[in-house]
Amino acid sequence: MSTTLAAVSGSIGSVGYGLAAIGPGVGVGIIFGNGTQALARQPEAAGLIRANQILGFAFCEALALIGLVMPFVYGIK
């Protein structure tokens, strides 16, 4: 006789995406945190720093969107 302590119902892909969203979230925090420090240290380079922040943010968000789409592409159930 076996007893089930917990059962997972629903798509495991959504759990995987929830875990995968942690990485881009941390990445965005690091980008803007370090960008703020760079602006405080060297305000004359604000344009270059801001451009690099936007580029890094776009890459992090692209990873998050790829992570959102992959469970649907591969049909993880």
Side-chain angles (χ1 to χ4, degrees), residues 10-18 64-77:
S11 174
I12 197 73
S14 58
V15 174
Y17 175 67
L65 290 175
I66 289 170
L68 175 66
V69 171
M70 282 303 122
F72 297 112
V73 170
Y74 291 115
I76 298 172
K77 294 186 175 132

Side-chain angles (χ1 to χ4, degrees):
M1 176 177 194
S2 67
T3 58
T4 303
L5 295 176
V8 176
S9 63
S11 174
I12 197 73
S14 58
V15 174
Y17 175 67
L19 293 173
I22 294 170
V26 170
V28 168
I30 290 172
I31 288 168
F32 286 109
N34 289 338
T36 303
Q37 287 181 2
L39 284 171
R41 291 174 188 240
Q42 208 168 13
E44 65 273 5
L48 180 63
I49 293 168
R50 191 171 296 119
N52 287 334
Q53 279 183 322
I54 292 170
L55 186 63
F57 176 76
F59 285 145
C60 282
E61 288 303 313
L63 289 175
L65 290 175
I66 289 170
L68 175 66
V69 171
M70 282 303 122
F72 297 112
V73 170
Y74 291 115
I76 298 172
K77 294 186 175 132

